[in-house]
Amino acid sequence: PTIKSFSLPFFPRHTQFFPCTQGIIKLYEEQGKYLHAEHISILLEMISSIATHASEVSSDSSLHMKFHKACSLLEASEPAVVHFENETYQSYLKLLQAVLHGYPFLSEDMDIESRLLDACEKILRTYLKCTGNGPSDEASHGNQTLHCIVPLGAAKQEELSARTPLVLLAMQLLHNLEKNSFRRVLPRFFPLLIDLIRCEHSSGDVQHALYKIFKSSIGPMIEV
């Protein structure tokens, strides 16, 4: 089955699917109707592993320093490792969505929705860490000490801008959950959404996405 478009947020033009993830997506599109659960599971594990590796590369500060030093000596542009992470997670979410909507019964057996939510949570937490406002915990909620919010530096602002399309995609997926599914996962994601409200963002699109979630998904659950 062809993987349908889900009105994904815009990703920078210079980012392209890497051959491996592109090949996996193409294989599913062309041979999906012949694949069994075991085959689909292998494809998902492959992209998941690539996404995990991309995340590790993106968060490795020592590796970034080596890239910076080498590129400075060579007078070359530094590799866009954040975009590498974006692309792989976009591919992973795209395949999860395709399986979820294309094979409802198979999706339940393979716990596809849970995998999708795990990926969304990781994306939101990574974004929050980039803003300098990591996810809240019980200790921080109980601490009444006020802290100044230090503006992000240029490098962090650039990284935040690069991560924005992916966090918008994760928020869109949460917003599109069925009512009962959203109600079930709200306790898990509500603290993250609250943390997003108090963060500095590079784009007003994040605040708009938050507004949509609170208005159309959370609002109706609040009894007047």
Side-chain angles (χ1 to χ4, degrees):
T2 301
I3 296 181
K4 300 178 181 179
S5 171
F6 290 89
S7 301
L8 302 181
F10 173 75
F11 278 74
R13 182 177 298 177
H14 64 273
T15 60
Q16 301 291 330
F17 280 107
F18 282 76
C20 187
T21 54
Q22 187 179 35
I24 293 172
I25 294 295
K26 185 175 181 180
L27 176 62
Y28 180 84
E29 289 181 334
E30 296 181 352
Q31 306 296 329
K33 61 183 178 181
Y34 304 113
L35 300 178
H36 298 293
E38 295 81 0
H39 304 142
I40 295 176
S41 180
I42 291 173
L43 295 181
L44 287 171
E45 288 302 324
M46 289 173 65
I47 292 191
S48 176
S49 296
I50 296 171
T52 299
H53 173 68
S55 182
E56 291 172 351
V57 170
S58 180
S59 61
D60 190 336
S61 57
S62 63
L63 182 60
H64 286 207
M65 292 179 64
K66 293 176 182 178
F67 278 145
H68 178 72
K69 184 176 181 179
C71 291
S72 296
L73 292 173
L74 297 172
E75 297 183 351
S77 300
E78 294 185 36
V81 291
V82 173
H83 295 306
F84 170 46
E85 183 180 4
N86 279 351
E87 289 176 10
T88 53
Y89 267 102
Q90 184 191 22
S91 298
Y92 184 45
L93 293 177
K94 188 175 183 180
L95 184 55
L96 285 171
Q97 284 180 302
V99 177
L100 183 65
H101 294 281
Y103 300 94
F105 297 105
L106 182 61
S107 298
E108 186 173 346
D109 293 337
M110 298 177 64
D111 207 12
I112 297 298
E113 184 176 89
S114 178
R115 296 190 190 193
L116 191 65
L117 293 172
D118 287 344
C120 288
E121 181 179 359
K122 180 175 178 58
I123 290 167
L124 294 181
R125 288 184 179 278
T126 301
Y127 180 88
L128 284 167
K129 183 178 180 180
C130 180
T131 67
N133 293 278
S136 302
D137 53 29
E138 293 182 3
S140 62
H141 282 303
N143 186 358
Q144 299 300 319
T145 303
L146 296 178
H147 298 278
C148 295
I149 298 178
V150 180
L152 297 175
K156 276 296 181 182
Q157 287 181 350
E158 183 178 351
E159 180 184 349
L160 196 64
S161 179
R163 292 189 181 280
T164 295
L166 192 59
V167 82
L168 288 174
L169 173 55
M171 294 171 70
Q172 177 185 319
L173 294 177
L174 291 176
H175 180 258
N176 290 342
L177 287 175
E178 294 182 355
K179 182 178 179 180
N180 290 336
S181 295
F182 186 83
R183 183 185 296 273
R184 187 178 68 253
V185 304
L186 182 57
R188 173 181 178 181
F189 285 93
F190 189 75
L192 299 177
L193 296 175
I194 293 298
D195 285 329
L196 283 171
I197 292 176
R198 62 189 181 90
C199 286
E200 176 183 346
H201 303 287
S202 64
S203 168
D205 291 339
V206 178
Q207 287 96 327
H208 181 65
L210 283 167
Y211 171 78
K212 288 173 60 178
I213 290 176
F214 275 88
K215 180 181 180 181
S216 59
S217 298
I218 297 178
M221 296 182 184
I222 302 175
E223 297 182 0
V224 180

